[in-house]
Amino acid sequence: MSGHVLALSGGVGGAKLAAGLAAVLPPGQLTIAVNTGDDFEHLGLTVCPDIDSVVYALAGLNDTVRGWGVVDESWRAMEMLGRLGEAQWFNLGDRDLAMHVARSWRLRAGESLSDVTARLTGALGIAHRVVPMSDAPVRTQVETAEGWLDFQHYFVREQCRPVARAIRFAGTPGAAPSPGLAEALARPDLAAVVLCPSNPFLSVDPILSVDGVREQLAALRVPFVAVSPLVGGKAIKGPLAKLLGELGRTCDNRAIATHYTGQVDHLIIDESDRAEAEGLRAMGLCATITGTVMCDAEDRERLARVALSAARYGTG
């Protein structure tokens, strides 16, 4: 079987698997649609953390030790900004800062986020298509005891400490899918959808909140494979385990499967969660057990092949 693959990505784990898929699929057979609910304006710049995580991973520029930003980074601009009395709670490295400057002035010149993203990926030698979920601004917000917090204030400034009561996506309804996402969803040769190991609430739900996307995905007659973001009942990075408890869910793969009821038909789980496989199958899901921790390029490519095999998708 051959055809096109649509990958939905957000966060560091999503970027890793997206890079793995790009390593095993030719550019014409993959679209990576990325969460933009994390985007925000900082120091007058438009910052798109999840898009940049994917771009840096595909370009081989990502810092695999820190988990975000550019490798071999320097911080002279932030040091000077601190001396000038500017906010220091969100760090932008010097090379990373260049990305935000290039994006921001072109957006202000009237280019769409899709156009700017294509321009930046092309400049970095990325042949695979990386597209935002929407060109319209959608902003993830978390309700806490102190009220609604914009995502980066909750995630970075407050370090996820406040108890989450609810999550919403400002700008929806009303945000149309980006041209790239709309095109991928409508392709007659679409063969599979792969949901990268991203936080369901903070990284995937924003994509599904875009006008018509959830409904279009549900109507597709192609395999929909998800890689669980949990390993041994914990999240490798980020607040997923904390959120599951605060939102009244169990911290296991059953909660992940339940959250994606009606969307996902195949869940890939880590070997440490082997005992949960039968319960998932009892829910009507296919379940594949493999190592899902991605420490290097070999891990990323192996997991990508497992996901494609689960979708019965031939890689050539």
Side-chain angles (χ1 to χ4, degrees):
M1 181 171 112
S2 62
H4 202 79
V5 173
L6 170 62
L8 307 182
S9 176
V12 174
K16 288 181 177 181
L17 185 57
L21 290 167
V24 302
L25 289 172
Q29 290 181 247
L30 177 65
T31 297
I32 304 165
V34 188
N35 167 46
T36 58
D38 295 9
D39 296 5
F40 78 127
E41 298 292 320
H42 187 61
L43 299 173
L45 302 174
T46 300
V47 181
C48 302
D50 282 359
I51 288 179
D52 291 345
S53 289
V54 171
V55 170
Y56 294 152
L58 267 62
L61 295 173
N62 57 315
D63 189 318
T64 57
V65 176
R66 192 171 61 241
W68 56 270
V70 184
V71 69
D72 297 328
E73 188 61 279
S74 56
W75 307 91
R76 302 300 297 276
M78 289 306 299
E79 290 171 6
M80 189 63 184
L81 284 165
R83 289 183 62 185
L84 296 173
E86 299 297 340
Q88 297 288 287
W89 63 269
F90 194 93
N91 278 326
L92 299 173
D94 297 331
R95 299 174 74 193
D96 189 33
L97 192 64
M99 177 72 83
H100 309 315
V101 170
R103 174 188 295 119
S104 299
W105 83 262
R106 290 191 178 277
L107 288 173
R108 287 174 184 155
E111 294 186 28
S112 69
L113 183 57
S114 290
D115 290 340
V116 174
T117 302
R119 181 190 294 275
L120 296 175
T121 54
L124 292 174
I126 297 170
H128 291 80
R129 195 170 193 192
V130 179
V131 302
M133 66 187 195
S134 178
D135 284 335
V138 176
R139 299 296 179 255
T140 299
Q141 297 175 330
V142 180
E143 186 182 21
T144 70
E146 291 75 37
W148 288 96
L149 292 178
D150 288 336
F151 176 77
Q152 296 300 343
H153 289 177
Y154 163 79
F155 185 65
V156 179
R157 191 188 68 189
E158 301 301 324
Q159 297 292 296
C160 307
R161 287 183 293 265
V163 173
R165 294 178 173 177
I167 300 167
R168 69 183 182 188
F169 310 108
T172 62
S178 70
L181 176 54
E183 179 185 321
L185 287 168
R187 287 183 70 118
D189 64 339
L190 184 63
V193 178
V194 175
L195 181 54
C196 295
S198 305
N199 187 307
F201 305 101
L202 300 176
S203 295
V204 179
D205 280 357
I207 303 176
L208 301 181
S209 76
V210 172
D211 291 358
V213 169
R214 187 185 298 272
E215 294 77 14
Q216 286 180 273
L217 286 170
L220 291 174
R221 295 296 179 260
V222 301
F224 197 144
V225 177
V227 178
S228 174
L230 293 176
V231 175
K234 298 178 180 179
I236 295 177
K237 190 176 180 65
L240 176 56
K242 180 175 181 287
L243 276 176
L244 284 166
E246 291 170 357
L247 297 176
R249 320 289 177 88
T250 56
C251 192
D252 55 24
N253 287 300
R254 184 179 183 86
I256 302 298
T258 300
H259 189 74
Y260 291 135
T261 297
Q263 301 281 176
V264 170
D265 47 39
H266 197 130
L267 187 64
I268 298 173
I269 63 174
D270 189 70
E271 293 167 335
S272 61
D273 296 313
R274 178 179 296 272
E276 298 182 31
E278 285 307 311
L280 295 172
R281 291 168 184 145
M283 296 173 66
L285 288 174
C286 295
T288 293
I289 303 165
T290 190
T292 61
V293 179
M294 293 171 282
C295 298
D296 53 30
E298 183 178 351
D299 289 336
R300 295 193 295 269
E301 292 177 27
R302 180 195 55 77
L303 185 56
R305 292 186 186 279
V306 170
L308 295 172
S309 177
R312 297 182 179 85
Y313 184 89
T315 59

